[in-house]
Amino acid sequence: PADWAAAEAELGMTFPNDYKAFVTRYGSGAIDDFVHPLNPADDRPDCSPKRFSDCILGIMRNVRAYDPG
């Protein structure tokens, strides 16, 4: 099972319960190649909280580069 408390402590944030329920049930992935929910509490090494935060920051940088306004 996912250790949400550890992931939230490492990232310094709390995720909404409905988000935690969604990604716990369906896992990380993509919906219509548009929405990419990620599970920072996944116990796979490639899904660590640090990797999660790096991924989110990368997405935000890409959005900003596409639309800097």
Side-chain angles (χ1 to χ4, degrees), residues 15 23 49 54-55 67:
F15 290 91
V23 295
D54 289 347
C55 182
D67 183 12

Side-chain angles (χ1 to χ4, degrees), residues 8-54:
E8 290 173 333
E10 187 172 336
L11 292 169
M13 61 183 296
T14 302
F15 290 91
N17 289 330
D18 56 347
Y19 182 84
K20 291 189 275 190
F22 182 87
V23 295
T24 296
R25 180 172 182 154
Y26 298 106
S28 299
I31 301 168
D32 199 24
D33 202 29
F34 181 72
V35 177
H36 298 266
L38 301 172
N39 184 350
D42 194 313
D43 58 1
R44 294 177 296 169
D46 62 327
C47 294
S48 70
K50 172 72 169 109
R51 185 168 166 81
F52 176 85
S53 64
D54 289 347

